[in-house]
Amino acid sequence: LGEAKNLPSYPGPTKMRDCYCTVNLDQEEVFRTKIVEKSLCPFYGEDFYCEIPRSFRHLSFYIFDRDVFRRDSIIGKVAIRKEDLQKYHNRDTWFQLQHVDADSEVQGKVHLELRLSEVITDTGTVCHKLATRSEAKKTKVKKKTNNPQFDEVFYFEVNRPCSYSKKSHFDFEEEDVDKLEIRVDLWNASNLKFGDEFLGELRIPLKVLRQSSCYEAWYFLQPRDNGKSPKPDDLGSLRLNVVYTEDHVFSSDYYSPLRDLLLKSADVEPVSASAAHILGEVCREKQEAAVPLVRLLLHYGRVVPFISAIASAEVKRTQDPNTIFRGNSLASKCIDETMKLAGMHYLQVTLKPAIEEVCQSHRPCEIDPVKLKDGESLENNMENLRQYVDRIFTVITKSGVSCPTVMCDIFFSLREAAAKRFQDDLDVRYTAVSSFIFLRFFAPAILSPNLFQLTLHHTDPQTSRTLTLISKTIQTLGSLSKSKSASFKESYMATFYEFFNEQKYADAVKNFLDLISSSGRRDPRSIEQPILLKEGFMIKRAQGRKRFGMKNFKKRWFRLTNHEFTYQKSKGDQPLCCIPIENILAVERLEEESFRMKNMFQVIQPERALYIQANNCVEARDWIDVLTKVSQRNQQRLSVYHPSAYLNGHWLCCRASSDTATGCSPCTGGLPANIQLDIDGDRETERIYSLFSSYMGKLEKMQEACGSKSVYDGPEQEEYSTFLIDDPQETYKTLKQVITSVVALEKDHAQHRRDKFKKTRYGSQEHPIGDKSFQNYIRQQSEVSTHSM
């Protein structure tokens, strides 16, 4: 979420607005930015990533204004259809804000059944003129549910007009019967004076009954066509960068050939001829290759040997020790991605308390004399900043024993490769490691803590400036460069750095780097302080320690660490309830029918279950995932559970009367216990296949380059110069295997699409009528079928 510009001014004296932006799946909010105050061009700069847990039609973004009475009003929205997301994939795009009105904000689907019953007239004569009764019918109100079941039947008449005189009857020609339609509106019944809320409508022409007297189908609700044209006012625009990935993953055996090629990449000589390295060569950006590669190799325990091999090859090509690992190579991107995955909790336990102190204490730290505010003292600001830097530097350099093993093993290989390549430079063994741990790990996290889940949102401008100054100083302290003051462009930074121009800082950095890059480092100490994994407000139901009486729902602040799951009235209060992790026997969704509330889940303990409602579907999934993972290795974990609640003396799901009855459904399982590495190897292999498939042209071009290098002994042809090919014969052999595997998977996908097309019915619950993306899919498959015939 980038920024908005040219929002309409507020109709008051200041004209400025306090705005925030929300991300929605259809109309369900799943993320909200911070409020940017007093601006008509608010900058958000916030990233939000989620696994999408349900089907959706639109990804929507709403801009809200909060006025002085803390009431929120919608300024406008951007709604992108699911089938259009690929048009904007991974590129900054400005979208015009659209008006929002109740008639256009619809979601959901409806199941209808229509029947046609013909009545023959007494005389048996043919009617050339007919009439219809068009009075409205209304169902009963279904209360407190998002999935109402009506099961009501209504009759509409089409008869001879002889006795009709009411306004609800009108004449029409018999051949125009097909032009008639049934219109169904859905409303949210309201007890307020403002009236009912429109939820959507659908219109079904009677011509659907031409082929059969009975017709039934699911329909998506549609916006109401009220004949009003949208307001022409300019509401401003919103800059977004949307990255949407959808992969169709087969079972493991489909991927064996390609997966085996990728997993043996570390053993290929030279490594540039391996399948994993070839992926990095053909992808437009090294990052898009590194993400699935690292996840796959981590999952199968092969990331360290592969990174060691490609890092060693890169070091051999490096001429100057001062430029070691400075480029955006495949090795650098793979190490970055590994640190991001394996080191996130290490980063949080190390930096989060110190970053929170900076954000909360809000002490002035500006040391640029030009930017000093009135009344601020340069000496006081320097002292404030020095204390912050000292605190953060200390927690980093004392955190070596907590550094994840996989990161230490990679750093060891970097250190060894650099030391062998540049034997005369005694510092290169340190700078090779510090260029990652300080420059690419700690410094970016300090600079943008929200991107590393150290803060919820972007920090305010003053705190952001403080963190920038801290990050610059920490980065320079960790670099161990010989002329550190000269490395600053700004003279005030060089002056400030004199505070740290002592040997004790260099010694602390070297000791830290030695520890995290030593192959025989001591085992990490047991973590004394619990690691905070997740926290936030949710609604919980009383756990029912009393056997009788009303059990209400209350909003509570929940907190999960690697030791316990607690809740309290507000953040910082004493816990009202504490559940040790070892007492969590299962974490499962709770069916909506239990309390007629959505996004509910249950934390099952030995004697009872805690029922909790999350704020939205994404948050519910996040809580279930992290609670499941942290309790995965509990010895008493359940294998079965009750998907509904125990109410009124029985379980709603299986009707068993005993509250201790064994569960009736199998628990979800198979998730790894390691919280940092929840990886699906088949999914990552499918992603790599998709990349290879999209860059098939480059794979074939690389094959040509291998042939050219093998046959012609002379200057490299310019069109092939973008590829790194050390051994043409070995590279060609790997390319041939890769292309064979990719073509086989393409055939499997094509066959799957054909099979799915044969089995899928338009109008089923999975694919309701009005699903434009599915209509496009049907058209494409029809064209494919026609072409193949």
Side-chain angles (χ1 to χ4, degrees):
L1 289 153
E3 59 188 311
K5 67 179 181 182
N6 302 328
L7 299 180
S9 58
Y10 187 73
T14 65
K15 298 189 181 301
M16 295 291 106
R17 293 183 182 270
D18 299 340
C19 298
Y20 63 90
C21 183
T22 67
V23 182
N24 298 60
L25 294 175
D26 297 319
Q27 275 77 57
E28 182 181 9
E29 181 183 322
V30 295
F31 178 73
R32 178 179 295 200
T33 68
K34 65 178 180 182
I35 296 174
V36 177
E37 298 180 345
K38 298 180 175 61
S39 176
L40 297 180
C41 297
F43 177 81
Y44 299 106
E46 300 204 28
D47 290 84
F48 173 64
Y49 168 86
C50 75
E51 295 282 333
I52 298 177
R54 63 169 176 83
S55 60
F56 70 102
R57 298 169 67 191
H58 293 88
L59 181 65
S60 304
F61 303 83
Y62 293 79
I63 297 281
F64 286 86
D65 176 38
R66 174 160 290 185
D67 66 15
V68 291
F69 302 105
R70 300 187 68 80
R71 292 179 306 206
D72 300 342
S73 57
I74 296 179
I75 296 176
K77 73 171 181 179
V78 172
I80 308 173
R81 295 187 306 176
K82 179 182 176 181
E83 56 266 29
D84 292 337
L85 287 173
Q86 284 301 323
K87 294 180 185 177
Y88 312 106
H89 181 77
N90 201 21
R91 58 187 177 90
D92 278 3
T93 306
W94 283 98
F95 294 88
Q96 286 296 121
L97 289 172
Q98 304 297 319
H99 278 278
V100 176
D101 61 81
D103 288 345
S104 67
E105 295 292 285
V106 301
Q107 71 177 65
K109 51 193 175 185
V110 176
H111 181 253
L112 286 181
E113 182 176 328
L114 306 179
R115 292 180 183 274
L116 179 62
S117 300
E118 293 185 344
V119 179
I120 301 174
T121 60
D122 295 336
T123 61
T125 57
V126 177
C127 298
H128 296 286
K129 223 38 160 164
L130 300 174
T132 181
R133 296 182 62 190
S134 59
E135 61 192 68
K137 313 284 187 178
K138 187 176 180 181
T139 69
K140 296 175 182 176
V141 175
K142 299 293 180 179
K143 296 183 177 179
K144 298 180 180 179
T145 179
N146 290 87
N147 299 298
Q149 209 164 346
F150 297 106
D151 291 327
E152 296 189 40
V153 179
F154 299 110
Y155 295 93
F156 297 89
E157 296 179 13
V158 179
N159 290 330
R160 296 186 67 180
C162 53
S163 61
Y164 297 136
S165 59
K166 296 180 182 177
K167 290 183 179 179
S168 61
H169 307 146
F170 56 90
D171 297 344
F172 58 93
E173 299 296 332
E174 187 172 10
E175 58 267 23
D176 291 336
V177 173
D178 284 352
K179 295 180 182 178
L180 293 176
E181 64 180 12
I182 298 285
R183 195 185 85 197
V184 179
D185 295 344
L186 258 75
W187 300 83
N188 180 33
S190 172
N191 295 322
L192 302 175
K193 61 182 179 181
F194 303 109
D196 297 342
E197 177 188 4
F198 176 75
L199 299 179
E201 73 169 20
L202 53 107
R203 296 168 180 258
I204 304 100
L206 285 188
K207 64 182 178 183
V208 299
L209 291 168
R210 183 182 296 168
Q211 302 297 328
S212 171
S213 61
C214 180
Y215 176 84
E216 60 93 17
W218 282 87
Y219 288 83
F220 271 132
L221 286 169
Q222 301 295 335
R224 179 162 53 185
D225 183 10
N226 53 16
K228 297 178 183 177
S229 58
K231 298 177 183 177
D233 309 350
D234 183 7
L235 298 178
S237 53
L238 179 65
R239 180 168 61 83
L240 302 169
N241 189 321
V242 179
V243 178
Y244 176 70
T245 305
E246 181 178 303
D247 290 318
H248 300 271
V249 185
F250 291 134
S251 55
S252 289
D253 53 318
Y254 282 87
Y255 299 109
S256 294
L258 181 59
R259 183 175 57 238
D260 293 345
L261 269 177
L262 294 162
L263 294 181
K264 72 176 186 181
S265 292
D267 305 322
V268 175
E269 288 287 349
V271 71
S272 60
S274 68
H277 195 278
I278 288 171
L279 179 67
E281 286 295 295
V282 298
C283 282
R284 185 178 57 186
E285 302 287 345
K286 304 292 185 190
Q287 179 72 15
E288 64 178 341
V291 171
L293 261 182
V294 165
R295 294 177 71 87
L296 177 71
L297 295 171
L298 268 171
H299 182 66
Y300 288 100
R302 298 292 294 161
V303 75
V304 173
F306 175 69
I307 287 179
S308 298
I310 58 174
S312 179
E314 182 175 332
V315 170
K316 287 176 183 176
R317 292 191 296 269
T318 304
Q319 301 302 315
D320 184 352
N322 294 317
T323 62
I324 195 166
F325 297 122
R326 293 295 181 183
N328 288 321
S329 63
L330 181 63
S332 297
K333 290 298 183 183
C334 284
I335 297 170
D336 288 348
E337 191 63 26
T338 304
M339 292 192 300
K340 193 184 299 181
L341 282 170
M344 189 61 77
H345 290 285
Y346 167 50
L347 198 61
Q348 291 187 340
V349 75
T350 303
L351 283 186
K352 192 168 185 177
I355 296 294
E356 285 180 342
E357 180 188 337
V358 175
C359 295
Q360 291 168 7
S361 58
H362 224 254
R363 288 186 282 171
C365 294
E366 183 55 70
I367 58 172
D368 182 354
V370 177
K371 296 181 178 178
L372 277 182
K373 295 179 182 177
D374 292 340
E376 286 186 354
S377 162
L378 182 61
E379 291 74 19
N380 287 344
N381 286 8
M382 278 197 171
E383 178 58 22
N384 290 339
L385 185 60
R386 187 192 66 77
Q387 289 179 14
Y388 282 148
V389 171
D390 251 336
R391 163 88 193 276
I392 291 177
F393 177 80
T394 301
V395 297
I396 288 174
T397 53
K398 292 194 177 210
S399 69
V401 292
S402 300
C403 186
T405 304
V406 68
M407 288 172 60
C408 294
D409 291 341
I410 289 171
F411 295 150
F412 172 70
S413 66
L414 300 182
R415 175 193 180 111
E416 291 295 295
K420 287 177 184 176
R421 176 72 175 86
F422 302 102
Q423 295 182 15
D424 296 335
D425 190 327
L426 298 179
D427 281 337
V428 74
R429 67 191 63 197
Y430 294 114
T431 55
V433 178
S434 67
S435 65
F436 286 102
I437 194 70
F438 281 102
L439 183 66
R440 295 172 179 259
F441 188 64
F442 285 121
I446 297 167
L447 186 65
S448 304
N450 67 299
L451 299 183
F452 295 84
Q453 301 171 23
L454 301 177
T455 58
L456 287 176
H457 299 294
H458 270 289
T459 51
D460 61 82
Q462 180 181 321
T463 305
S464 181
R465 172 66 175 163
T466 299
L467 292 173
T468 300
L469 296 172
I470 295 171
S471 179
K472 282 186 175 184
T473 312
I474 292 292
Q475 184 176 318
T476 307
L477 277 167
S479 68
L480 291 172
S481 59
K482 295 180 176 61
S483 55
K484 294 179 180 178
S485 296
S487 66
F488 291 109
K489 296 177 183 177
E490 309 93 342
S491 58
Y492 61 85
M493 284 301 300
T495 303
F496 173 69
Y497 195 80
E498 294 300 321
F499 282 119
F500 306 96
N501 212 359
E502 299 180 34
Q503 189 58 37
K504 67 176 184 178
Y505 290 102
D507 290 343
V509 170
K510 286 186 175 181
N511 289 336
F512 169 68
L513 295 175
D514 280 335
L515 184 58
I516 66 172
S517 62
S518 171
S519 62
R521 79 185 183 98
R522 62 191 175 200
D523 292 330
R525 295 191 301 251
S526 60
I527 300 171
E528 296 174 358
Q529 293 297 320
I531 300 173
L532 178 63
L533 302 177
K534 190 171 177 62
E535 61 182 345
F537 276 112
M538 292 190 290
I539 295 171
K540 67 99 188 174
R541 182 178 186 258
Q543 294 188 75
R545 290 180 176 83
K546 297 178 181 177
R547 197 158 184 82
F548 303 102
M550 180 74 72
K551 299 176 182 64
N552 56 357
F553 288 85
K554 291 186 177 177
K555 189 175 185 179
R556 293 288 182 257
W557 180 265
F558 285 82
R559 195 169 186 271
L560 175 65
T561 71
N562 58 332
H563 291 178
E564 60 190 13
F565 182 47
T566 61
Y567 62 78
Q568 51 235 53
K569 280 190 176 179
S570 299
K571 185 177 182 179
D573 290 351
Q574 287 297 313
L576 299 173
C577 176
C578 175
I579 304 173
I581 294 300
E582 57 267 25
N583 282 359
I584 298 178
L585 306 185
V587 185
E588 300 288 346
R589 294 191 180 277
L590 189 70
E591 290 182 354
E592 185 185 328
E593 66 170 7
S594 298
F595 302 106
R596 297 186 182 277
M597 296 165 65
K598 59 182 179 178
N599 302 324
M600 289 201 71
F601 64 96
Q602 52 185 315
V603 179
I604 304 171
Q605 307 161 71
E607 296 182 355
R608 56 183 171 268
L610 173 61
Y611 298 131
I612 302 171
Q613 183 187 36
N615 296 314
N616 56 62
C617 62
V618 169
E619 190 176 292
R621 176 175 178 146
D622 287 347
W623 274 106
I624 292 170
D625 281 353
V626 72
L627 280 163
T628 299
K629 292 165 199 166
V630 79
S631 62
Q632 190 73 28
R633 288 191 176 175
N634 289 353
Q635 294 183 353
Q636 304 300 317
R637 277 189 65 84
L638 298 176
S639 58
V640 291
Y641 78 107
H642 293 283
S644 294
Y646 183 80
L647 294 174
N648 303 322
H650 64 269
W651 293 99
L652 298 181
C653 43
C654 61
R655 316 303 291 181
S657 58
S658 171
D659 59 356
T660 59
T662 304
C664 56
S665 295
C667 288
T668 54
L671 291 171
N674 191 329
I675 293 167
Q676 297 108 343
L677 307 177
D678 179 16
I679 295 169
D680 183 337
D682 297 330
R683 176 175 170 175
E684 302 308 327
T685 313
E686 169 65 27
R687 182 94 293 269
I688 292 170
Y689 148 74
S690 296
L691 289 171
F692 272 135
S693 181
S694 62
Y695 290 111
M696 182 61 78
K698 281 195 173 184
L699 287 172
E700 293 168 348
K701 200 82 170 173
M702 200 172 182
Q703 269 191 322
E704 293 176 17
C706 289
S708 175
K709 279 197 154 195
S710 298
V711 174
Y712 301 106
D713 185 17
E716 186 174 37
Q717 294 186 38
E718 187 177 345
E719 60 180 321
Y720 301 142
S721 61
T722 55
F723 302 119
L724 176 64
I725 301 172
D726 294 319
D727 186 326
Q729 285 87 359
E730 193 67 29
T731 306
Y732 186 91
K733 187 171 84 174
T734 305
L735 279 164
K736 189 175 180 181
Q737 293 173 305
V738 168
I739 291 172
T740 301
S741 300
V742 170
V743 169
L745 279 167
E746 283 178 344
K747 289 179 180 177
D748 291 332
H749 276 284
Q751 185 60 50
H752 173 74
R753 287 192 294 270
R754 286 193 293 270
D755 293 343
K756 182 181 177 183
F757 176 64
K758 291 175 183 176
K759 296 175 183 176
T760 304
R761 185 176 72 86
Y762 189 43
S764 63
Q765 188 170 3
E766 295 76 22
H767 301 288
I769 294 172
D771 184 350
K772 293 184 179 178
S773 61
F774 185 69
Q775 283 178 293
N776 292 336
Y777 168 77
I778 289 178
R779 188 180 66 253
Q780 291 166 5
Q781 294 306 308
S782 298
E783 291 171 357
V784 170
S785 300
T786 304
H787 180 70
S788 62
M789 291 172 66

